């Protein structure tokens, strides 16, 4: 059995299904963890801060995806209590983020938040992996069946100093590698062989038991329609968190026409990304069309897109704070780099899903990637509100083009 494409089931077999209230509640708690990360990133924009943000963000995404896919496959048999326990684990992780950031970036001496974060992550991932029925093997997300990536985290509890974060990075890298290299067929074969060996071993210890090799494991895949909705909703929630950061920054700024213009440009930028990802995209991914890429590819691109969108909240709140002053170098590059990264992922999605011809791809590269990077390089003396206005115009240009070409692509 191979990986399914997003929304590639025959029309007659599809049953319309939407996210439950419990699933939406779960997404909000996961987004709270991402919000805690962006607040920590705002205090340190150096390489160490970005590296810590990326590492911790991936832990939240892996934990969220484990429970999200459990709800997706289990459908009406999902245990709400399991989701609530997963939410509590994510909440503990989120509450530990400021302490982790202070210990790592501020060279604090209290290392207890790192231990709390590691234990909460281990407990959340292990509990999420055990939510699946023993006879089922999820083909689209190997880390549910293989927990080798958690071993470095377990060791890190007893390790001091910088090696702790190194072990965390190794563990997350192992999980990502499993997602990339282990196919659905191989995953099912290995799981069946291991399950058969365990069953045979138990029967040898009980000679009077029945013969045979035991039950055959069943490979299960995701409900693509439900998955696309969950991915899109999470992007919307992260965009909303970015709006909250802009509002919070504006509440502390001096009122005036300049503040209104800055807030308006920031909102237009975020609303434009909503249009590209949700209105003219699919599963929260810009330029994606249904049934064009595999589930794993969609999950990977979703992880990157939401991570990039979350960083925009940090950049835009800094824009509101600086007002008529130019942005400092790190803040300017984070803002322009995040916009360029978003459009880079859009180009990858468009090419992978075959929704872009060569001319359209080249225009997206020039306007969506080259222009923001040039602004980051050259706009050293440009006011922060002017810079975000330029970037908002870039997004609006892409929206206009998508709206113009939508009828030809069958979009509403």
């Amino acid at each position: 059995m191979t990986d399914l494409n997003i929304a590639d089931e025959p029309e007659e077999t599809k049953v319309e299904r939407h996210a439950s209230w419990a699933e939406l509640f779960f997404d909000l708690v996961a987004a709270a963890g991402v919000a805690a990360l962006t607040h920590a990133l705002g205090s340190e924009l150096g390489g160490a801060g970005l590296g810590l943000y990326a590492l911790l963000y991936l832990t939240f995404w892996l934990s969220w995806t484990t429970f999200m896919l459990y709800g997706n496959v289990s459908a009406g048999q999902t245990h709400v209590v399991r989701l609530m326990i997963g939410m509590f684990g994510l909440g503990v992780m989120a509450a530990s983020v400021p302490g982790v950031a202070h210990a790592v970036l501020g060279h604090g001496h209290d290392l207890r938040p790192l231990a709390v974060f590691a234990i909460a992550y281990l407990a959340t991932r292990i509990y999420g992996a055990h939510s699946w029925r023993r006879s089922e093997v999820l083909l689209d997300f190997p880390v549910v069946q293989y927990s080798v990536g958690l071993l470095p985290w377990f060791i890190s509890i007893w390790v001091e100093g910088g090696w702790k974060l190194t072990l965390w990075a190794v563990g997350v890298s192992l999980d990502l590698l499993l997602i990339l290299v282990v196919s659905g067929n191989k995953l099912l074969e290995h799981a069946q062989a291991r399950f058969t060996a365990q069953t045979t071993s138990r029967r040898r210890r009980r000679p009077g038991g029945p013969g045979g090799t035991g039950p055959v494991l069943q490979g299960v895949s995701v409900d693509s329609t439900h998955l696309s909705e969950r991915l899109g909703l999470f992007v919307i929630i992260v965009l909303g968190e970015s709006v909250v950061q802009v509002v919070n920054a504006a509440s502390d700024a001096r009122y005036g026409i300049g503040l209104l213009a800055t807030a308006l440009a920031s909102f237009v930028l975020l609303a434009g990304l909503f249009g590209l990802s949700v209105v003219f995209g699919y599963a929260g991914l810009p330029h994606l069309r249904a049934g064009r890429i595999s589930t794993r590819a969609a999950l990977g691109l979703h992880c990157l897109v939401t991570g990039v969108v979350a960083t925009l909240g940090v950049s835009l709140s800094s824009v509101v704070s600086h007002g008529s002053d130019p942005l400092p170098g790190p803040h300017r590059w984070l803002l322009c780099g995040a916009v360029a990264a978003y459009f880079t992922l859009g180009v990858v999605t468009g090419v992978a899903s075959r929704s872009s011809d060569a001319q359209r791809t080249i225009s997206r590269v020039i306007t969506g990637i080259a222009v923001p990077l040039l602004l980051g390089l050259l706009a050293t003396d440009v006011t922060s509100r002017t810079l975000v206005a330029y970037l908002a115009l870039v997004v609006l240009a892409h929206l206009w083009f998508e709206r113009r070409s939508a009828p030809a692509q069958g979009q509403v």
Side-chain angles (χ1 to χ4, degrees):
M1 191 176 295
T2 57
D3 296 334
L4 294 178
N5 288 343
I6 291 289
D8 62 354
E9 298 96 332
E11 290 295 330
E12 61 270 15
T13 65
K14 289 184 181 179
V15 177
E16 187 174 1
R17 176 172 157 238
H18 298 286
S20 67
W21 295 118
E23 289 175 321
L24 293 175
F25 191 16
F26 185 87
D27 290 351
L28 289 172
V29 175
V34 176
L37 288 175
T38 56
H39 286 300
L41 176 63
S43 62
E44 177 57 62
L45 290 183
L50 290 172
L52 182 64
Y53 168 80
L55 174 61
L56 298 186
Y57 172 78
L58 287 171
T59 64
F60 279 98
W61 182 82
L62 286 167
S63 301
W64 173 78
T65 305
T66 300
F67 281 93
M68 182 270 293
L69 293 178
Y70 159 67
N72 177 283
V73 174
S74 299
Q77 298 180 343
T78 301
H79 294 285
V80 175
V81 173
R82 284 194 172 274
L83 295 182
M84 296 298 174
I85 293 175
M87 289 163 58
F88 181 79
L90 287 171
V92 174
M93 290 169 59
S96 305
V97 166
V100 172
H102 179 68
V104 175
L105 305 176
H107 305 290
H109 299 292
D110 187 3
L111 301 181
R112 288 176 297 179
L114 280 77
V116 171
F117 187 91
I119 293 171
Y121 175 66
L122 282 167
T124 304
R125 281 285 310 279
I126 292 172
Y127 186 77
H130 282 79
S131 299
W132 301 88
R133 288 189 289 267
R134 195 160 181 256
S135 61
E136 292 182 343
V137 176
L138 180 62
L139 303 177
D140 306 302
F141 202 62
V143 298
V144 170
Q145 276 76 36
Y146 291 111
S147 56
V148 62
L150 298 181
L151 181 59
W153 284 82
F154 185 76
I155 297 173
S156 73
I157 297 175
W158 290 275
V159 173
E160 300 293 338
W163 284 105
K164 189 181 292 288
L165 289 180
T166 301
L167 288 168
W168 290 6
V170 170
V172 169
S173 299
L174 287 173
D175 282 334
L176 298 178
L177 184 63
L178 285 173
I179 296 173
L180 290 175
V181 304
V182 179
S183 68
N185 285 330
K186 185 179 296 184
L187 179 63
L188 184 58
E189 291 173 3
H190 287 180
Q192 181 65 62
R194 187 170 63 251
F195 186 73
T196 301
Q198 292 172 354
T199 303
T200 303
S201 176
R202 285 195 298 269
R203 286 173 176 167
R204 285 174 178 171
R205 292 195 294 267
R206 295 180 295 174
T213 58
V216 176
L217 297 182
Q218 176 186 3
V220 295
S221 290
V222 300
D223 180 329
S224 300
T225 303
H226 179 265
L227 176 65
S228 66
E229 183 183 64
R230 291 294 301 278
L231 297 182
L233 285 172
F234 195 77
V235 170
I236 292 173
I237 293 172
V238 173
L239 281 168
E241 175 56 35
S242 296
V243 173
V244 169
Q245 292 193 55
V246 172
V247 170
N248 288 338
S251 65
D252 295 329
R254 184 177 180 180
Y255 288 178
I257 297 298
L259 175 61
L260 178 62
T262 305
L264 179 61
S266 300
F267 179 76
V268 168
L269 175 59
L270 293 173
L273 297 186
F274 164 79
L276 292 173
S277 289
V278 179
V279 179
F280 296 106
Y282 188 78
L285 303 177
H287 312 313
L288 180 62
R289 301 294 176 260
R292 300 293 180 85
I293 64 176
S294 69
T295 297
R296 295 195 198 190
L299 287 172
L301 288 168
H302 175 267
C303 173
L304 296 175
V305 166
T306 50
V308 167
V309 169
T311 62
L312 280 173
V314 178
S315 302
L316 294 176
S317 62
S318 178
V319 167
V320 172
S321 301
H322 283 82
S324 60
D325 298 326
L327 281 176
H331 291 269
R332 185 181 70 254
W333 274 112
L334 183 65
L335 174 61
C336 296
V339 173
Y342 176 86
F343 283 110
T344 299
L345 294 169
V347 169
V348 172
T349 303
V351 172
S353 63
R354 302 180 300 280
S355 63
S356 305
D357 53 29
Q359 182 179 2
R360 188 174 300 169
T361 299
I362 292 173
S363 67
R364 288 172 178 169
V365 169
I366 294 174
T367 58
I369 302 174
V371 170
L373 291 179
L374 286 174
L375 287 173
L377 180 65
L378 303 176
T380 55
D381 296 325
V382 175
T383 65
S384 58
R385 66 171 61 106
T386 302
L387 179 60
V388 76
Y390 287 155
L391 294 173
L393 288 175
V394 170
V395 174
L396 286 176
H398 280 253
L399 268 179
W400 176 82
F401 184 82
E402 289 297 313
R403 181 67 184 87
R404 182 184 176 189
S405 58
Q409 298 172 351
Q411 296 290 334
V412 178

